[in-house]
Structure formats: C-alpha cells, structure tokens
Amino acid sequence: MLQIRDIIWGWLLIGCAAAIQVQITPSQGEISIGDSKFFLCEVVGDAKEIDWYAPSGEKILSTSTSDNLFVSRNDETTATLTIYHASGDSAGIYKCVAKNGDKEAQATVQVKIFQKITFQNAPSPQEFNEGEDADIVCDVFSSPPPNIIWKHKGSKIQPAKDVRYRIMSNGHLQIRGIKKIDEGNYDCEARVMARGEIDFRMMKVIVNVLPTIRARQSEVNATADISSTALLACDADGFPEPTVTWAHNNVVLETGDKYSLNEDGSELVIKDVKKVDEGDYTCIAKNKAGEKTEEVSLNVFVQPKITYFNNQTASEFDEQVTLTCEALGDPTPTISWSFGNRVFTEGEQASWTRPDKYESLDRNVVVRSHARVSSLTLKNIQFTYAGQYLCTASNSIGHDSQHMYLEVRYAPKILGAVTVYTWEGNPANISCEVDAHPGASVVWFRDGFQLPSPNTTNIKIYNTPTISYLEISPDSQNDFGSYNCTATNTMGTESKEFLLIQAEVPSSPEIQQVEPFSSTAVVEFDEPDSMGGVPIIKYRVQWRLPGKGWTGKEYDAEDDMMRITIVGLKPETTYEVKMSAINGKGEGESSLASTFKTEPVQYFTKGEPIAPKLEIMAQNGGKSLRINWIKQDDGGSPIKHYLVKYKAKHVSAWKPELRLPHGSEYILLSGLDWNTEYEVHVVAENQQGKSEPGIISFRTAMEPTTIPDAVDGGSGLGTGAIVGILIVVFFLLLVGVDVTCYFLNNCGLLMCIAVNFCGKAGPGAKSKDMEEGKAAFTKDESKEPIVEVRTEEEHTPNQEGRGPTEPNETTPLTEPEPAAADTTPMVVNLLPSTAANSVTESLSTAQSSPASESTTLTISTSSPTKAAPTKSSPKNSSHSNSLKADPQPNVGPLVDLSDTPKVAPSSIQTPLVLDAVSPPSANVDGPQSRCDSEKAPDSTQSKDLQVASQTKDAPSALCTDSTTPAQNDGKTVKEDNSTSETEVKNATGEVKTVPNEAPQANGNESKA
C-alpha cells in the first residue's frame, strides 16, 4: 500500500510541475441573510499568487473588509474567502485564481443568499376593545415568502367557514367585532416548502370590556347642620376592573377631612353635611377600554331654625301689640303661633271668646307671614292676653320653636268666693285672691275701718304673693257680716265685699229604703237638702225596738255616700230606724223613723251563712285595690272568720288563702300586676260550715309609660337618677342599721372590724362576769331567772279610784291593799323593755313557723309565794286585759319581793294569745272569758297583703282556765281554789336577771 501511494504522489508531482490546478471547497454555498461562511481555495502546483474575485470581477484584497468580504493567505497553496453577515448583495459567483508566471489556473463557486423564517413583529399580549375589528399582528419574513397558518385553541382558523375571520395579505389575522369569548392564545405559524422550514409564535389576545356603571340612588337626601353624613354610591363593572373616582364641580374628590372613599372608590361619604354641599356628584369608572360616568344628586335640607323673636310689654286696653318671629330652613318653613291650647295660623283670625273658631267678627288676633317672617298682632289688649306665646317653624324635615312673653300691666282683679260660713268659736279664713301686674298691696276694711284694729283681738291677716287671708274667730253675732278687701297697684285699685255668714246645722237626710236581712240591714238615703254652709262630717244612724230606747252609731261621711249597713240585729224583729247629719256646727234634725222587719234566719242544710256582698274601692298607685264586703245572714250562728283568696284569671293557681277575723270588713290587695284581670272569692264561715263564695272581678290599671313634665317646661328626674337616689338611700340606711347594731347589740360589720382589727369590744359591752353569767344561762336552759330587787320607798296614790292603768312614770306600781278579807292577787310589774322584747320575740317566732295558728307568749317566773285559797269571781276575771309594752322603755317600774311569804317554788306559765288583727274587747256573754283562738294567716302568704279589720265583740286576748294564772298589765292573777297572801310595797326598784335552775317551756319563752 505504501508503494502505491508513493507512486501516485510521484505522478502528481510530475503533473504539477507541468500544470497548476485550483479547487474550491465547498464547491457551492447557501448562506442565510445575516449568517457568515468561508470558502477554501486549494492550489495544486507551484503558484506564486492566489487571488479571490468578487461577482463583480473586482479582486478582493486581503486588506479590504468592505462588503463584509475578507481574504486571507493561509500558506503557499491555500487562500480563504470569508463572507461575514451575508446580505442580498453577497450573492453571486466568486472566483479563485492561482498564477505562477505565465501559468494560471482558476475555479469558481456560486454563493446563494436566502432569508430564513423570521418573526419581525409578533407582540404578545395584544389587547383590543370589545366590539371593534381586531387586527392581530404577525409579521414574518423569509425567502421565498412563507405560507402563514393561524390556529386558536389548537384548531386551524378557516376563514371560509367563519366570515368573522380574515387572513390579511400581510399575514395578519383580522377578527370582525371581537368578543370577550374570542379572548385567548393564538398561534401564527410560518412555513417554507422549498426548504421544509417551519416556525411559529404564540400570542395572547386580551379583549377589554368598556365599563358599565349605575348609581345605587340617583338622588340622596341629607339634613344639614346636625353633624350628619351622606352616602353616595355607584357600582361599576368591566374588564379590566375599572377604577372609580368622584368629582364635584369638575374637581376630583379625595379622602380627607370632608370626604371619605372606600377601598374601590365606589362609595363616597360626605361628612358634616352643609347646605353648600348640595349639587351633582359625578361617578367616573375608567379602564383600558374607556370610561363611563354617572351623575348622583345630593339634596341638602335644612331644619327650621328660629333666628329672631321678641318679647313685648303692653298695658291693659292698649290698642294692639305685635310679636315677631323669623326662621330659616329648606324647604321654607311655615310658621304658626299658639297660646295654651289655641293655635293661630296665617290668614286666619281668632277670637279669644271663641278660640275654636278662627273666623270671628271681632278679629282680635291676626297672623301675617311673608317669606320667612311671621307676626302675631293682638288687638284690644286684655289682661288675659299676658303669658307665654309659642312660635313654631315647621317643614318636612323638622321643627323649631321659641317662647315669647307678653307682659301685660293691669289693675288688680279680685277673685275667690264671696261667702264664707262658720260659727261662733270656730276660726274661718276669708281668702282674697288678687290677680295683678305689677303686684298689688292688699288692705282689709270693715265698716270703713282698716283691719286689724287696736280693739280687735280675734282677727289676724296672713299674706302671700297672690292671696291675703283674713282669719276671724267669731266671738258673737257682731263678728258676722261684710268685710272689704282692697287691692292697689300702679295701674289702679279694686275692691270687693266678702260675707261671713253664720253656719247652720244640716237638714235631715231622707231615708229612701231599708233592705233588711236576718241580722243586718242596709239603709239607703239621700243627702240633706241643706248642708248648713259647711261640709257634712258624719251621719248618725239610730235604731230601736218599738217603744224601746234608741241604739245608735256614727259613720264617717264619704263622697257619694248613699247607704249605710247596720249590724247586730235580731232575726224576725221589727225595728225603727232614723238618721241625722252632723257638720262642724253640730247635729241636725233626725229624719222620720222608718220601720222594717228583719228576715228570719235562712237555715240551709247545715245552717251556713249567706255569701257576703263585695265592693271594689280603688287605691292610689294603680296596683293596689281594696275589697269591701257587707255581712249577710249568718245562718243562725256567729261568723267565725272570713276566708279570702284571689288569682289572676289567666292562671289556674290561687294565691294562698287568707283567714281574717269575724269583724273584718275589707282587705287591701297590693303588689298586683298592671293591666291584669283578677278574680276574688270571699267566704264567710260559722260553726255550721262555709257560705258560698262572694265573687267579684276587676282589672288593674294600665302601666304608666311616661313621666309628666315638670311645671313650666322643667324636666323631672329621669329613671336613672331615681334609681341612683334609691341606691344611695338604701346604702345610708344599711350604714345606719349597722352603726345602731354596733352601739346597741354589739354586732354588725363595725363590730367585726372593731374586734378583728382593733381588738376592742363594742360600746356598752357588759363586764366579763356578766357575759360569763349570760353564757352559763344560755348554755344551761334548765335554769330560770331569779329576780333580785333593790327598792326605794316611794308612794304614789292611784288616780281617783279608776281601773288598773298601764304603768308609766306617774302611775303607782301596785294597787292599794284592800281592807276586807278579800285578798288582791299578787301584782308583779315586768320591766317595760323586757315585756317589749318578749312580745317581739314571740311574734317573730310565730311568724317564722308556717304551722302556727296562734301566737302564745309564755313568761316563766319563780318567786317565793304563799298560796291561800280564794274563790273565783267575775271580778277577778274582769281584770284580764291584753299585755302591752310600755311606750317609754327607758323607765322601768321596780318591784320589791324580798318580804313576800315563802311557798314551795313552782313554775308559773301564763299563755298569752295575741290576735294580730282584732283588738281585744270585753266578753259580753259573762264573766268567764271565752277563748276562741283565731288561726293566724300562713306565714307563706305574700307579704304584700295588708289586712285591716274592724272588730266588734271580740274575745279577750288572754285565755285562762281554772288552773292557769293570767298575767295582765303587769299583774298575776290566780283563780279557783288558789289564794295568795301578798305583801307589796310601793317602791321603785331595779330588776336584774341572773341564771338560776329552772326549765324553760319552749323556744318562744321570753327571758325576764
């Protein structure tokens, strides 16, 4: 192989020596515009020169770089042609020539220049407004020119099928009336078939939508000068999202002290609206597609405001006076005038004599208005014109009012009743009420002489700013007659005569009808024709058996009193009844006697009483009501008590039943609900059973919703102020109670503070010994008190032989000792403070016990006593009275028991039954005290019920038997085969309680 190659090269060298050969590599070339390329010219043979020639025939020099051509000699056999950044002018046939003397050889190469696919202008994104013809730009260059294809969403656009599309000659895509749905990505694809070249560009097409705008309210109303705000709002849509701005009077508004815009600018808030803010506001919505505007009108109204008014002064009988009132406002306000309940408006005339008719003949009041000014003219001035006039300016937004005062100076006017009734010895006041301006001085005269005169001592004068009172105490007939009151001021003088007339007793009332029952009767009557000049105070009703003595009773007179019920009658008995009226002067004549006969006892199955008749009496406050009842036939057996129950009709449960004593005539129901219908049942009960219920229904008043304004426009206390005052008062009350407990009973918050923080006992604390004794006494309840007595001799005679009286500072401690063999039971006076505490303790204990039917006060005392037999007598029984606490607890009667006879110690327990409703009275059935215990109302009853009763023939509060001593008014009485030798000294002593061995009866027992 090596030999063959060497042979070939040898032949070539031989040939070259004979000729020069040129070869260009590559033999042909295609260059894209802008690209660069080189060509290598190789010479075979010995060549001294190797040159390149341009297509124009010009030699390309190695030092020249024009036309982007560059030639370089690599070695003795090669030369390189480089074409940089080829252009269209670079195309042609390039020639390489090699020379060696006269020998020359050449070779050529054809260079072709072409344009590859180039996207010169294909922007993305491209934006268009909805509805316009869109020209989507895609500028592509190549040689030869490329073929353009458009695609949307992966599909080729075919203009032949959709006339909205068109491919322009320049390769652009046109969309007629582009829509929002045409938005998206479009592909512009270029192809050169000759070279199989392809390229594309993706462009995003955006369709902008012109804003749409609408105002929420085309007109907005606002009120000026009340620190209010106005909201103007518009809503805008479009793509891209439009920006919203506001303009007023061609000035763009921005957020600040006056205006406030929300985040997207759609809401404009105008602060502290004034009248100058009124006008049109423009809402502007703008985006790339354009802008739209909308007008919103702001109407600013102004509340009426009275800017001028005047007060006036006139004299009575002046010709006229004018009050003026001026007001501002938008809309223009209308102005009206009023005086009290009279209202005057423009163009109307009003008469003081006919205030309800504005058209009158006298035309004393005229109202005239012009624009914003109104005047009220009063003619023929009267003193009644004086006072406060109200000017009111009103429009659709509101109103304003101002008071003006008309001062009228006038001579005195004397008012008041001219006749006054009284009687000798009864003082009477004659009132001279003077109406005058300026104020008048008042002088009294009689028979031309000014009062009071030096000779009169029964006349006094009292003056107030408007009334003068003449007080007369008639001594004789001469003091009755005429009295003159004279009032004087700068405008004139006025006099008036007053008559003081002798009052008379009233005439007799006229009995119209008597409605009898078995034990009661209702007398219906007419008031007396003559009252005698003074009001009736009472009525006296008298009744009797024919030919017997009269029995009477007085009844307090009430308004519209037309009937009176008399009780205590016997069945099937004929009575006569008459009436008389009583006033301050005295009792008048009695009416003619009327005869009636009571009904027989209507015995039913068991002799029950008849249901009482009920009446309603309203009480002040609206939530309280008094139910009265009239006793009917008792069925032949005395009424024991009344049972009362009530409930609201809309509920099924009754309030707890109340038991009232037999003498009760009414019950007061309080704490009721507002505007609620109630039903009340009252049942009478005797030994035989219960009556049918007396039934009555009523509805309470509506709850007040407003508090009346104070006089002269002043404002009353609000609810908050009242609640605050009550809280303060309650707090002060608690402090007062705590301080009282601290000083009196050594307890309370202050006591805790004093003991825990100061280490001191409260004031009035007992000594250590006393407290130890008290503790021992409290701990061992088997001990009873021992009474130690220190005495001082003091004798006070009894008061004129009267019955036993309650001990006080002036009454004797004991009664005088009898001279006969009758021995007076021993009398022991308890300390008033002890008695009071005992009663209080017993009552409070009874109230806390739901099952307690009666309250029993047991006082245990132990003292040396020597018993002596004595005979029970009515006299001893008559000494029974209810135990009462001394109203002066600081003074205690003292008892000396040191010399009393000794007897075997015994525990004396005295039960005391207290009726909380009925006062005690003597038993008319005999000397023996009848014990009829009334059941106390259950302690679970509502505390808002107040029960009052008037009792008659009630049994004594103290109930004793043959073996039980009764203690009354500080006395201890022992009856039936028991005697006592009593040696009692009238003395003042001090009782001190110390523990002693004695059992206590029960928890209600009082400690002496």
Side-chain angles (χ1 to χ4, degrees):
M1 291 295 296
L2 182 61
Q3 293 177 353
I4 295 173
R5 189 178 60 181
D6 294 339
I7 293 172
I8 292 173
W9 277 106
W11 285 106
L12 287 175
L13 290 174
I14 295 171
C16 288
I20 300 175
Q21 295 181 356
V22 177
Q23 183 179 356
I24 299 175
T25 303
S27 59
Q28 65 178 6
E30 290 184 353
I31 304 174
S32 175
I33 294 176
D35 290 346
S36 300
K37 198 166 186 178
F38 71 90
F39 296 92
L40 179 66
C41 178
E42 296 178 314
V43 177
V44 179
D46 186 14
K48 294 183 179 180
E49 296 180 10
I50 301 175
D51 298 314
W52 282 89
Y53 291 89
S56 61
E58 295 180 1
K59 181 180 179 180
I60 302 173
L61 302 177
S62 59
T63 59
S64 175
T65 57
S66 61
D67 297 330
N68 299 326
L69 301 176
F70 180 76
V71 175
S72 62
R73 182 77 179 263
N74 300 327
D75 52 28
E76 293 179 356
T77 61
T78 61
T80 300
L81 171 66
T82 303
I83 301 175
Y84 291 100
H85 307 297
S87 65
D89 295 337
S90 302
I93 297 175
Y94 290 82
K95 180 173 59 175
C96 178
V97 178
K99 293 180 180 181
N100 186 4
D102 57 352
K103 295 180 180 180
E104 180 178 328
Q106 64 180 8
T108 61
V109 61
Q110 185 176 6
V111 176
K112 296 180 180 180
I113 303 300
F114 70 92
Q115 176 68 54
K116 67 179 180 180
I117 296 174
T118 302
F119 291 89
Q120 287 187 342
N121 186 19
S124 179
Q126 297 184 41
E127 298 186 19
F128 306 96
N129 293 336
E130 187 179 34
E132 67 181 9
D133 292 340
D135 186 1
I136 303 175
V137 177
C138 182
D139 293 331
V140 184
F141 296 95
S142 72
S143 56
N147 184 27
I148 305 299
I149 297 175
W150 285 91
K151 295 181 179 180
H152 177 50
K153 297 180 180 179
S155 299
K156 182 179 179 180
I157 295 176
Q158 300 179 5
K161 293 183 179 181
D162 191 343
V163 296
R164 294 176 60 243
Y165 296 101
R166 179 185 176 190
I167 299 177
M168 309 293 288
S169 59
N170 57 3
H172 294 184
L173 175 64
Q174 185 185 65
I175 304 176
R176 297 184 181 93
I178 192 169
K179 302 177 182 178
K180 187 66 177 176
I181 60 175
D182 296 327
E183 193 174 60
N185 294 324
Y186 287 79
D187 293 331
C188 176
E189 185 178 289
R191 294 183 179 186
V192 178
M193 298 300 295
R195 293 190 301 272
E197 185 180 2
I198 184 172
D199 199 1
F200 69 93
R201 290 289 185 270
M202 180 182 291
M203 289 162 290
K204 183 176 182 179
V205 174
I206 297 175
V207 180
N208 295 326
V209 180
L210 189 68
T212 59
I213 189 172
R214 70 180 183 280
R216 297 180 191 174
Q217 288 180 286
S218 60
E219 288 190 4
V220 176
N221 297 329
T223 303
D225 304 324
I226 59 172
S227 299
S228 65
T229 60
L231 174 64
L232 283 62
C234 66
D235 297 316
D237 294 323
F239 186 86
E241 187 74 22
T243 59
V244 180
T245 57
W246 290 84
H248 178 55
N249 296 333
N250 297 323
V251 178
V252 177
L253 305 180
E254 296 179 353
T255 298
D257 295 336
K258 183 64 179 178
Y259 304 102
S260 175
L261 292 166
N262 66 345
E263 185 177 355
D264 60 3
S266 62
E267 295 181 353
L268 172 67
V269 177
I270 303 174
K271 306 173 185 177
D272 193 14
V273 177
K274 304 291 184 184
K275 184 63 178 177
V276 295
D277 296 327
E278 189 174 58
D280 292 333
Y281 289 77
T282 304
C283 177
I284 305 169
K286 186 177 181 179
N287 65 3
K288 293 179 179 179
E291 70 176 33
K292 281 291 185 73
T293 61
E294 184 76 15
E295 298 290 336
V296 179
S297 297
L298 175 63
N299 302 320
V300 178
F301 299 98
V302 181
Q303 288 185 332
K305 180 68 176 179
I306 295 178
T307 58
Y308 174 79
F309 59 94
N310 65 331
N311 299 325
Q312 291 286 1
T313 300
S315 297
E316 191 176 22
F317 309 123
D318 283 354
E319 183 177 350
Q320 69 177 32
V321 66
T322 299
L323 302 175
T324 303
C325 183
E326 181 177 349
L328 294 176
D330 185 14
T332 302
T334 58
I335 299 177
S336 62
W337 295 83
S338 62
F339 180 76
N341 294 327
R342 306 178 181 92
V343 178
F344 316 119
T345 56
E346 181 183 1
E348 298 174 329
Q349 289 76 36
S351 168
W352 292 96
T353 58
R354 301 175 63 193
D356 56 329
K357 301 293 184 181
Y358 290 106
E359 297 180 358
S360 61
L361 298 177
D362 50 13
R363 298 176 179 269
N364 283 336
V365 179
V366 179
V367 177
R368 293 187 179 90
S369 297
H370 176 69
R372 298 177 290 103
V373 181
S374 179
S375 63
L376 174 68
T377 301
L378 307 175
K379 300 180 180 179
N380 301 322
I381 307 302
Q382 303 293 325
F383 78 97
T384 55
Y385 290 10
Q388 179 175 271
Y389 289 79
L390 181 65
C391 170
T392 303
S394 304
N395 63 10
S396 58
I397 305 303
H399 67 274
D400 187 26
S401 60
Q402 287 290 345
H403 289 98
M404 281 167 277
Y405 295 90
L406 175 60
E407 178 185 1
V408 178
R409 299 186 298 269
Y410 54 93
K413 317 291 181 183
I414 297 180
L415 311 175
V418 298
T419 58
V420 177
Y421 290 86
T422 187
W423 56 92
E424 294 178 6
N426 182 62
N429 286 331
I430 301 177
S431 301
C432 180
E433 183 177 355
V434 179
D435 190 0
H437 186 74
S441 60
V442 179
V443 180
W444 289 89
F445 296 93
R446 187 177 190 197
D447 298 333
F449 295 99
Q450 183 174 344
L451 299 177
S453 63
N455 298 328
T456 58
T457 59
N458 60 340
I459 295 179
K460 296 180 181 178
I461 297 176
Y462 303 95
N463 292 318
T464 68
T466 58
I467 303 177
S468 179
Y469 298 96
L470 179 66
E471 181 186 285
I472 305 173
S473 299
D475 295 333
S476 63
Q477 188 63 33
N478 294 332
D479 292 326
F480 296 93
S482 176
Y483 291 84
N484 176 273
C485 175
T486 300
T488 304
N489 67 358
T490 57
M491 303 300 296
T493 301
E494 176 78 7
S495 295
K496 190 172 185 179
E497 296 291 330
F498 292 87
L499 295 177
L500 184 64
I501 302 175
Q502 177 83 271
E504 301 294 339
V505 295
S507 61
S508 62
E510 182 178 355
I511 297 178
Q512 296 293 332
Q513 176 183 338
V514 179
E515 183 180 3
F517 299 94
S518 62
S519 60
T520 62
V522 178
V523 180
E524 297 183 3
F525 62 94
D526 289 338
E527 292 181 345
D529 295 332
S530 173
M531 304 292 181
V534 291
I536 293 178
I537 303 173
K538 295 182 179 181
Y539 288 100
R540 184 191 300 276
V541 181
Q542 296 176 303
W543 62 92
R544 69 175 181 180
L545 298 173
K548 302 294 183 179
W550 291 97
T551 300
K553 184 178 179 180
E554 294 182 357
Y555 299 85
D556 292 334
E558 299 177 359
D559 293 338
D560 300 326
M561 190 173 185
M562 303 297 294
R563 61 183 186 176
I564 293 175
T565 302
I566 56 179
V567 298
L569 306 180
K570 296 180 180 180
E572 293 187 275
T573 305
T574 300
Y575 288 92
E576 294 179 349
V577 61
K578 63 180 181 178
M579 289 184 62
S580 60
I582 303 173
N583 62 9
K585 179 67 180 292
E587 182 177 357
E589 294 182 356
S590 297
S591 65
L592 296 176
S594 296
T595 303
F596 68 93
K597 184 177 181 180
T598 54
E599 298 290 335
V601 175
Q602 300 179 9
Y603 291 98
F604 297 98
T605 305
K606 295 183 179 180
E608 301 91 343
I610 296 178
K613 290 186 177 181
L614 306 185
E615 297 176 342
I616 295 178
M617 298 292 291
Q619 300 291 315
N620 293 334
K623 297 181 68 175
S624 299
L625 212 67
R626 172 172 162 170
I627 307 297
N628 294 351
W629 57 79
I630 301 174
K631 175 186 174 183
Q632 303 300 312
D633 196 330
D634 58 11
S637 178
I639 301 295
K640 293 172 55 181
H641 43 247
Y642 291 96
L643 305 176
V644 181
K645 65 178 181 178
Y646 72 100
K647 72 177 182 69
K649 281 196 171 182
H650 65 276
V651 299
S652 58
W654 291 86
K655 298 288 185 180
E657 187 176 67
L658 306 175
R659 177 171 297 182
L660 306 182
H662 65 88
S664 303
E665 295 181 351
Y666 70 89
I667 185 171
L668 182 63
L669 305 179
S670 61
L672 305 177
D673 295 331
W674 294 108
N675 192 28
T676 304
E677 190 170 0
Y678 284 88
E679 180 179 344
V680 181
H681 288 192
V682 179
V683 174
E685 184 176 5
N686 62 7
Q687 295 289 350
Q688 303 301 324
K690 299 179 181 178
S691 69
E692 293 294 326
I695 302 175
I696 195 168
S697 299
F698 62 89
R699 178 176 289 275
T700 54
M702 298 289 292
E703 182 176 7
T705 57
T706 58
I707 300 176
D709 293 338
V711 179
D712 296 334
S715 60
L717 289 177
T719 304
I722 295 175
V723 172
I725 292 174
L726 291 177
I727 292 174
V728 172
V729 171
F730 183 70
F731 177 75
L732 294 177
L733 182 60
L734 289 179
V735 172
V737 171
D738 191 70
V739 172
T740 303
C741 292
Y742 175 69
F743 283 99
L744 296 183
N745 296 330
N746 303 325
C747 61
L749 183 60
L750 285 178
M751 185 64 186
C752 294
I753 294 174
V755 173
N756 294 332
F757 293 96
C758 301
K760 298 179 180 180
K766 296 181 180 181
S767 64
K768 181 178 180 181
D769 294 340
M770 289 297 293
E771 292 195 357
E772 290 178 352
K774 181 178 178 181
F777 180 81
T778 305
K779 183 175 180 181
D780 189 357
E781 296 185 354
S782 64
K783 299 179 181 180
E784 65 178 8
I786 297 177
V787 180
E788 296 183 0
V789 182
R790 294 195 301 268
T791 63
E792 295 178 2
E793 290 295 334
E794 180 178 351
H795 299 279
T796 304
N798 201 347
Q799 299 179 359
E800 300 178 0
R802 297 180 183 176
T805 59
E806 186 174 342
N808 54 37
E809 294 181 356
T810 60
T811 55
L813 299 177
T814 60
E815 294 184 2
E817 296 182 6
D822 294 338
T823 59
T824 303
M826 182 183 69
V827 177
V828 178
N829 287 338
L830 296 177
L831 281 173
S833 59
T834 305
N837 292 337
S838 302
V839 174
T840 303
E841 180 181 352
S842 299
L843 289 178
S844 52
T845 305
Q847 291 177 0
S848 64
S849 175
S852 176
E853 296 186 357
S854 63
T855 304
T856 303
L857 175 64
T858 303
I859 303 175
S860 299
T861 61
S862 177
S863 61
T865 305
K866 187 173 183 179
T870 185
K871 201 169 187 178
S872 176
S873 66
K875 180 178 179 181
N876 293 337
S877 177
S878 65
H879 286 290
S880 298
N881 291 311
S882 61
L883 180 63
K884 299 180 181 178
D886 197 315
Q888 302 178 8
N890 293 331
V891 179
L894 307 178
V895 180
D896 186 1
L897 303 179
S898 59
D899 296 334
T900 54
K902 296 182 179 180
V903 73
S906 62
S907 178
I908 305 175
Q909 296 184 351
T910 306
L912 175 60
V913 180
L914 299 182
D915 192 335
V917 179
S918 302
S921 62
N923 192 340
V924 298
D925 295 334
Q928 187 67 27
S929 175
R930 178 181 176 182
C931 184
D932 186 9
S933 300
E934 303 292 347
K935 294 185 179 180
D938 199 310
S939 62
T940 60
Q941 295 174 0
S942 175
K943 293 183 179 180
D944 57 7
L945 293 177
Q946 303 175 9
V947 181
S949 63
Q950 301 174 359
T951 60
K952 308 169 193 64
D953 301 332
S956 174
L958 288 179
C959 300
T960 61
D961 56 21
S962 59
T963 60
T964 304
Q967 182 174 341
N968 297 318
D969 297 77
K971 300 180 177 63
T972 301
V973 181
K974 189 171 184 181
E975 303 180 39
D976 293 343
N977 301 325
S978 65
T979 60
S980 63
E981 295 178 352
T982 306
E983 182 179 351
V984 179
K985 297 182 179 180
N986 294 329
T988 302
E990 178 180 357
V991 179
K992 180 165 61 177
T993 304
V994 296
N996 191 20
E997 298 288 341
Q1000 295 188 2
N1002 51 52
N1004 293 334
E1005 190 171 23
S1006 174
K1007 302 176 180 61

